[in-house]
Amino acid sequence: MSRSEELFARALEVIPGGVNSPVRAFRSVGGTPRFIASANGSHIVDEDGKTYLDFIGSWGPMILGHNHEGVRRKVLEACMDGLSFGAPTEREVIMAELICSMVPGMEMVRMVNSGTEAVMSALRAARGYTGRDKIIKFAGNYHGHSDSILIKAGSGVMEGGVPDSSGVTRGATADTLSAVYNDLSSVEEILDQYPEQIAAIIVEPVAANMGVVPPAEGFLQGLRDLCTKHGVVLIFDEVITGFRLAAGGAQEYFGIQADLVTFGKIIGGGMPVGAYGGKKEIMSVISPLGPVYQAGTLSGNPIAMAAGIEMLTILKENPSIYTGIRETGEYLFNGIQAILDETGAPCTMNHVSSLGNIFFTPDPVVDYTSAQKSDTAAFGRYFHYMLDNGVHLGPSQFEAMFVSAAHTREDIDQTLELIRKYFTK
Ligand code: HOZ
């Protein structure tokens, strides 16, 4: 028995499904999750001492690669000052100033502890600001696991084949309306059906939790225009795209400004952290400035802030990192596309900059319905082939591959070689 198998067996006894987040359980691909002992740069090492080239990157935040020396040093230094105070610190101010200086339209920002919390709070702010109850989300977009947003969610919910989570009351989701990603007419229909009742439209500017689905030409601008016209708060959920597509996230990358933006793990370099913010006028509804309550003892935690400040400073001061990860991503994803073309594999490659994935369907994937056509069993076989050959991918058809600044051309060539072998066998 391998050490991962041994740990998984123990975990199954005391943790639901043996994991603290469902996708990690390998349910959709079968087999035993690798228990990770350490990580550095583009590689991780499991408890059995086996090294893998990693394309999960803690689901996005490891833009600089795992265990970046500078970030680690700042965390260790911060630990020497104390772990949590439940009182304001200078680091929180520096972090907020940094985020406001990098993200378009960010005038005020509130730190929280995860992307889930950021989204939950941003929706509350939008409702408080507009005095309206309903929100629009897109099928297959994932915005964390708070009750009101668990409708046709992507990621682990989609993988389990359940459109909605059990345990969420009808009341909690009664004001959540689901539209079709990349289809503006589906949004217009809802806006017409509920005039002056929609508080917010929340969207993943690049959907990355039903696999990677880029926004169609004009889709994000169309949402911007509709929100402006109907007095609706446009929320970009940048938990995955923020500080990844560009220093200013998807807003900068696509040149579209949202009213509120949500961030997650990415702004803490992997530490448990999140944030939401945007226009001062909207953020002024947040307590204690306004009537919308939101709080948290660990919000703005000094260790998380230390990691985040260092990582964001590096990203801000080194724009070449973005050129680098985009070029590496394109080298990988265009390389995969070429292999699919050569071999005639019935797959579709979607990618945006350093995010991408292979869908095991020959048809274009533009939304939830088309993503669901994927042959998840075929993905599972491919996943295990890659894992057996030392490449660690997200264990689900509906998760992205994340390329970091630590991935080298050799890493990518090695990956492409494996993929070529797989599809020519
Ligand atoms: N489904 C999550 C990412 N989109 C997985 C998070 C985790 O397991 O850490």
mmCIF file of all heavy atoms in Angstrom, residues 305-334:
data_model
loop_
_atom_site.group_PDB
_atom_site.id
_atom_site.type_symbol
_atom_site.label_atom_id
_atom_site.label_comp_id
_atom_site.label_asym_id
_atom_site.label_seq_id
_atom_site.Cartn_x
_atom_site.Cartn_y
_atom_site.Cartn_z
ATOM 1 N N MET A 305 -1.703 38.767 4.883
ATOM 2 C CA MET A 305 -1.380 40.066 4.275
ATOM 3 C C MET A 305 0.089 40.120 3.857
ATOM 4 O O MET A 305 0.426 40.638 2.794
ATOM 5 C CB MET A 305 -1.660 41.215 5.264
ATOM 6 C CG MET A 305 -3.127 41.416 5.627
ATOM 7 S SD MET A 305 -4.225 41.732 4.231
ATOM 8 C CE MET A 305 -4.855 40.111 3.889
ATOM 9 N N ALA A 306 0.954 39.575 4.700
ATOM 10 C CA ALA A 306 2.390 39.605 4.379
ATOM 11 C C ALA A 306 2.657 38.857 3.079
ATOM 12 O O ALA A 306 3.396 39.336 2.207
ATOM 13 C CB ALA A 306 3.187 38.983 5.527
ATOM 14 N N ALA A 307 2.022 37.684 2.937
ATOM 15 C CA ALA A 307 2.205 36.901 1.705
ATOM 16 C C ALA A 307 1.641 37.665 0.510
ATOM 17 O O ALA A 307 2.277 37.766 -0.548
ATOM 18 C CB ALA A 307 1.504 35.550 1.844
ATOM 19 N N GLY A 308 0.444 38.205 0.691
ATOM 20 C CA GLY A 308 -0.222 38.904 -0.403
ATOM 21 C C GLY A 308 0.537 40.147 -0.841
ATOM 22 O O GLY A 308 0.708 40.390 -2.040
ATOM 23 N N ILE A 309 1.000 40.916 0.125
ATOM 24 C CA ILE A 309 1.724 42.150 -0.218
ATOM 25 C C ILE A 309 2.959 41.804 -1.059
ATOM 26 O O ILE A 309 3.233 42.430 -2.084
ATOM 27 C CB ILE A 309 2.147 42.921 1.062
ATOM 28 C CG1 ILE A 309 0.909 43.487 1.759
ATOM 29 C CG2 ILE A 309 3.136 44.036 0.737
ATOM 30 C CD1 ILE A 309 1.165 43.987 3.184
ATOM 31 N N GLU A 310 3.679 40.788 -0.633
ATOM 32 C CA GLU A 310 4.901 40.437 -1.360
ATOM 33 C C GLU A 310 4.567 39.958 -2.775
ATOM 34 O O GLU A 310 5.182 40.380 -3.750
ATOM 35 C CB GLU A 310 5.683 39.367 -0.586
ATOM 36 C CG GLU A 310 6.986 38.954 -1.218
ATOM 37 C CD GLU A 310 8.013 40.095 -1.360
ATOM 38 O OE1 GLU A 310 7.800 41.193 -0.800
ATOM 39 O OE2 GLU A 310 9.031 39.886 -2.060
ATOM 40 N N MET A 311 3.565 39.078 -2.858
ATOM 41 C CA MET A 311 3.256 38.545 -4.185
ATOM 42 C C MET A 311 2.740 39.646 -5.127
ATOM 43 O O MET A 311 3.179 39.756 -6.266
ATOM 44 C CB MET A 311 2.231 37.427 -4.094
ATOM 45 C CG MET A 311 1.905 36.928 -5.476
ATOM 46 S SD MET A 311 1.241 35.312 -5.480
ATOM 47 C CE MET A 311 -0.256 35.662 -6.349
ATOM 48 N N LEU A 312 1.821 40.468 -4.630
ATOM 49 C CA LEU A 312 1.269 41.512 -5.497
ATOM 50 C C LEU A 312 2.338 42.538 -5.871
ATOM 51 O O LEU A 312 2.360 43.061 -6.986
ATOM 52 C CB LEU A 312 0.073 42.198 -4.835
ATOM 53 C CG LEU A 312 -1.162 41.314 -4.565
ATOM 54 C CD1 LEU A 312 -2.353 42.169 -4.148
ATOM 55 C CD2 LEU A 312 -1.537 40.467 -5.761
ATOM 56 N N THR A 313 3.247 42.829 -4.940
ATOM 57 C CA THR A 313 4.321 43.782 -5.251
ATOM 58 C C THR A 313 5.210 43.233 -6.364
ATOM 59 O O THR A 313 5.568 43.946 -7.311
ATOM 60 C CB THR A 313 5.170 44.068 -3.981
ATOM 61 O OG1 THR A 313 4.287 44.556 -2.968
ATOM 62 C CG2 THR A 313 6.245 45.093 -4.247
ATOM 63 N N ILE A 314 5.533 41.957 -6.257
ATOM 64 C CA ILE A 314 6.364 41.344 -7.315
ATOM 65 C C ILE A 314 5.636 41.436 -8.662
ATOM 66 O O ILE A 314 6.205 41.818 -9.683
ATOM 67 C CB ILE A 314 6.690 39.867 -6.973
ATOM 68 C CG1 ILE A 314 7.613 39.813 -5.749
ATOM 69 C CG2 ILE A 314 7.320 39.153 -8.157
ATOM 70 C CD1 ILE A 314 7.845 38.416 -5.183
ATOM 71 N N LEU A 315 4.334 41.133 -8.638
ATOM 72 C CA LEU A 315 3.567 41.165 -9.894
ATOM 73 C C LEU A 315 3.477 42.582 -10.450
ATOM 74 O O LEU A 315 3.609 42.809 -11.649
ATOM 75 C CB LEU A 315 2.157 40.601 -9.672
ATOM 76 C CG LEU A 315 2.082 39.096 -9.349
ATOM 77 C CD1 LEU A 315 0.659 38.691 -9.015
ATOM 78 C CD2 LEU A 315 2.616 38.266 -10.527
ATOM 79 N N LYS A 316 3.289 43.545 -9.549
ATOM 80 C CA LYS A 316 3.151 44.935 -9.984
ATOM 81 C C LYS A 316 4.457 45.457 -10.583
ATOM 82 O O LYS A 316 4.456 46.165 -11.589
ATOM 83 C CB LYS A 316 2.750 45.794 -8.772
ATOM 84 C CG LYS A 316 2.447 47.237 -9.121
ATOM 85 C CD LYS A 316 1.962 48.005 -7.905
ATOM 86 C CE LYS A 316 1.783 49.483 -8.258
ATOM 87 N NZ LYS A 316 1.325 50.264 -7.127
ATOM 88 N N GLU A 317 5.557 45.064 -9.958
ATOM 89 C CA GLU A 317 6.852 45.610 -10.392
ATOM 90 C C GLU A 317 7.470 44.858 -11.559
ATOM 91 O O GLU A 317 8.475 45.282 -12.103
ATOM 92 C CB GLU A 317 7.823 45.625 -9.193
ATOM 93 C CG GLU A 317 7.415 46.670 -8.162
ATOM 94 C CD GLU A 317 8.265 46.640 -6.901
ATOM 95 O OE1 GLU A 317 9.144 45.756 -6.790
ATOM 96 O OE2 GLU A 317 8.025 47.500 -6.029
ATOM 97 N N ASN A 318 6.875 43.740 -11.910
ATOM 98 C CA ASN A 318 7.471 42.923 -12.988
ATOM 99 C C ASN A 318 6.434 42.538 -14.039
ATOM 100 O O ASN A 318 6.023 41.369 -14.118
ATOM 101 C CB ASN A 318 8.088 41.647 -12.393
ATOM 102 C CG ASN A 318 9.216 41.954 -11.439
ATOM 103 O OD1 ASN A 318 10.333 42.238 -11.852
ATOM 104 N ND2 ASN A 318 8.916 41.943 -10.150
ATOM 105 N N PRO A 319 6.039 43.500 -14.870
ATOM 106 C CA PRO A 319 5.019 43.185 -15.877
ATOM 107 C C PRO A 319 5.439 42.056 -16.817
ATOM 108 O O PRO A 319 4.595 41.402 -17.426
ATOM 109 C CB PRO A 319 4.841 44.506 -16.642
ATOM 110 C CG PRO A 319 5.774 45.496 -16.060
ATOM 111 C CD PRO A 319 6.461 44.908 -14.883
ATOM 112 N N SER A 320 6.755 41.815 -16.897
ATOM 113 C CA SER A 320 7.218 40.748 -17.804
ATOM 114 C C SER A 320 6.709 39.368 -17.341
ATOM 115 O O SER A 320 6.657 38.430 -18.138
ATOM 116 C CB SER A 320 8.746 40.737 -17.878
ATOM 117 O OG SER A 320 9.258 40.460 -16.591
ATOM 118 N N ILE A 321 6.317 39.272 -16.065
ATOM 119 C CA ILE A 321 5.761 37.990 -15.591
ATOM 120 C C ILE A 321 4.513 37.650 -16.403
ATOM 121 O O ILE A 321 4.268 36.501 -16.770
ATOM 122 C CB ILE A 321 5.432 38.061 -14.081
ATOM 123 C CG1 ILE A 321 6.740 38.111 -13.275
ATOM 124 C CG2 ILE A 321 4.580 36.869 -13.632
ATOM 125 C CD1 ILE A 321 6.550 38.340 -11.794
ATOM 126 N N TYR A 322 3.720 38.685 -16.707
ATOM 127 C CA TYR A 322 2.482 38.437 -17.454
ATOM 128 C C TYR A 322 2.762 38.032 -18.895
ATOM 129 O O TYR A 322 2.116 37.134 -19.422
ATOM 130 C CB TYR A 322 1.551 39.658 -17.372
ATOM 131 C CG TYR A 322 0.986 39.747 -15.980
ATOM 132 C CD1 TYR A 322 1.456 40.691 -15.070
ATOM 133 C CD2 TYR A 322 0.035 38.839 -15.542
ATOM 134 C CE1 TYR A 322 0.974 40.736 -13.774
ATOM 135 C CE2 TYR A 322 -0.448 38.866 -14.251
ATOM 136 C CZ TYR A 322 0.025 39.814 -13.374
ATOM 137 O OH TYR A 322 -0.454 39.832 -12.085
ATOM 138 N N THR A 323 3.752 38.708 -19.503
ATOM 139 C CA THR A 323 4.117 38.305 -20.865
ATOM 140 C C THR A 323 4.595 36.855 -20.818
ATOM 141 O O THR A 323 4.236 36.038 -21.667
ATOM 142 C CB THR A 323 5.282 39.188 -21.398
ATOM 143 O OG1 THR A 323 5.177 40.480 -20.787
ATOM 144 C CG2 THR A 323 5.261 39.305 -22.883
ATOM 145 N N GLY A 324 5.387 36.555 -19.796
ATOM 146 C CA GLY A 324 5.964 35.215 -19.661
ATOM 147 C C GLY A 324 4.915 34.137 -19.514
ATOM 148 O O GLY A 324 4.918 33.147 -20.254
ATOM 149 N N ILE A 325 3.974 34.312 -18.559
ATOM 150 C CA ILE A 325 3.010 33.212 -18.347
ATOM 151 C C ILE A 325 2.044 33.106 -19.533
ATOM 152 O O ILE A 325 1.585 32.024 -19.871
ATOM 153 C CB ILE A 325 2.239 33.270 -17.000
ATOM 154 C CG1 ILE A 325 1.490 34.569 -16.812
ATOM 155 C CG2 ILE A 325 3.131 32.951 -15.820
ATOM 156 C CD1 ILE A 325 0.536 34.537 -15.609
ATOM 157 N N ARG A 326 1.791 34.260 -20.176
ATOM 158 C CA ARG A 326 0.911 34.190 -21.356
ATOM 159 C C ARG A 326 1.616 33.396 -22.466
ATOM 160 O O ARG A 326 1.033 32.508 -23.081
ATOM 161 C CB ARG A 326 0.541 35.593 -21.839
ATOM 162 C CG ARG A 326 -0.565 35.551 -22.879
ATOM 163 C CD ARG A 326 -1.052 36.925 -23.291
ATOM 164 N NE ARG A 326 -0.007 37.749 -23.842
ATOM 165 C CZ ARG A 326 0.380 38.924 -23.348
ATOM 166 N NH1 ARG A 326 -0.203 39.420 -22.281
ATOM 167 N NH2 ARG A 326 1.354 39.615 -23.905
ATOM 168 N N GLU A 327 2.901 33.700 -22.672
ATOM 169 C CA GLU A 327 3.628 32.993 -23.739
ATOM 170 C C GLU A 327 3.765 31.502 -23.423
ATOM 171 O O GLU A 327 3.594 30.660 -24.300
ATOM 172 C CB GLU A 327 5.023 33.620 -23.930
ATOM 173 C CG GLU A 327 4.940 34.917 -24.702
ATOM 174 C CD GLU A 327 6.274 35.669 -24.779
ATOM 175 O OE1 GLU A 327 7.317 35.144 -24.317
ATOM 176 O OE2 GLU A 327 6.242 36.796 -25.292
ATOM 177 N N THR A 328 4.037 31.207 -22.157
ATOM 178 C CA THR A 328 4.158 29.781 -21.793
ATOM 179 C C THR A 328 2.814 29.080 -21.983
ATOM 180 O O THR A 328 2.738 27.962 -22.508
ATOM 181 C CB THR A 328 4.621 29.631 -20.322
ATOM 182 O OG1 THR A 328 5.755 30.445 -20.107
ATOM 183 C CG2 THR A 328 4.963 28.196 -19.986
ATOM 184 N N GLY A 329 1.743 29.757 -21.552
ATOM 185 C CA GLY A 329 0.400 29.185 -21.703
ATOM 186 C C GLY A 329 0.086 28.950 -23.169
ATOM 187 O O GLY A 329 -0.373 27.866 -23.562
ATOM 188 N N GLU A 330 0.388 29.940 -23.999
ATOM 189 C CA GLU A 330 0.064 29.790 -25.424
ATOM 190 C C GLU A 330 0.913 28.695 -26.068
ATOM 191 O O GLU A 330 0.435 27.938 -26.912
ATOM 192 C CB GLU A 330 0.204 31.138 -26.147
ATOM 193 C CG GLU A 330 -1.044 31.970 -25.890
ATOM 194 C CD GLU A 330 -0.919 33.434 -26.258
ATOM 195 O OE1 GLU A 330 0.130 33.830 -26.803
ATOM 196 O OE2 GLU A 330 -1.888 34.173 -25.970
ATOM 197 N N TYR A 331 2.162 28.606 -25.650
ATOM 198 C CA TYR A 331 3.047 27.550 -26.169
ATOM 199 C C TYR A 331 2.457 26.170 -25.836
ATOM 200 O O TYR A 331 2.381 25.284 -26.680
ATOM 201 C CB TYR A 331 4.433 27.730 -25.552
ATOM 202 C CG TYR A 331 5.477 26.762 -26.019
ATOM 203 C CD1 TYR A 331 5.911 26.758 -27.344
ATOM 204 C CD2 TYR A 331 6.052 25.846 -25.133
ATOM 205 C CE1 TYR A 331 6.879 25.865 -27.772
ATOM 206 C CE2 TYR A 331 7.028 24.951 -25.550
ATOM 207 C CZ TYR A 331 7.435 24.964 -26.868
ATOM 208 O OH TYR A 331 8.401 24.080 -27.288
ATOM 209 N N LEU A 332 1.991 26.028 -24.603
ATOM 210 C CA LEU A 332 1.397 24.754 -24.189
ATOM 211 C C LEU A 332 0.076 24.493 -24.906
ATOM 212 O O LEU A 332 -0.122 23.445 -25.536
ATOM 213 C CB LEU A 332 1.172 24.745 -22.665
ATOM 214 C CG LEU A 332 0.374 23.569 -22.103
ATOM 215 C CD1 LEU A 332 1.093 22.241 -22.328
ATOM 216 C CD2 LEU A 332 0.111 23.750 -20.603
ATOM 217 N N PHE A 333 -0.826 25.456 -24.814
ATOM 218 C CA PHE A 333 -2.185 25.194 -25.306
ATOM 219 C C PHE A 333 -2.237 25.142 -26.841
ATOM 220 O O PHE A 333 -2.971 24.338 -27.407
ATOM 221 C CB PHE A 333 -3.159 26.230 -24.725
ATOM 222 C CG PHE A 333 -3.185 26.198 -23.214
ATOM 223 C CD1 PHE A 333 -3.057 27.371 -22.464
ATOM 224 C CD2 PHE A 333 -3.315 25.001 -22.530
ATOM 225 C CE1 PHE A 333 -3.058 27.337 -21.068
ATOM 226 C CE2 PHE A 333 -3.316 24.950 -21.142
ATOM 227 C CZ PHE A 333 -3.193 26.126 -20.407
ATOM 228 N N ASN A 334 -1.441 25.996 -27.501
ATOM 229 C CA ASN A 334 -1.383 25.892 -28.965
ATOM 230 C C ASN A 334 -0.718 24.582 -29.379
ATOM 231 O O ASN A 334 -1.072 23.982 -30.398
ATOM 232 C CB ASN A 334 -0.627 27.082 -29.578
ATOM 233 C CG ASN A 334 -1.433 28.382 -29.442
ATOM 234 O OD1 ASN A 334 -2.660 28.344 -29.323
ATOM 235 N ND2 ASN A 334 -0.753 29.510 -29.442
#
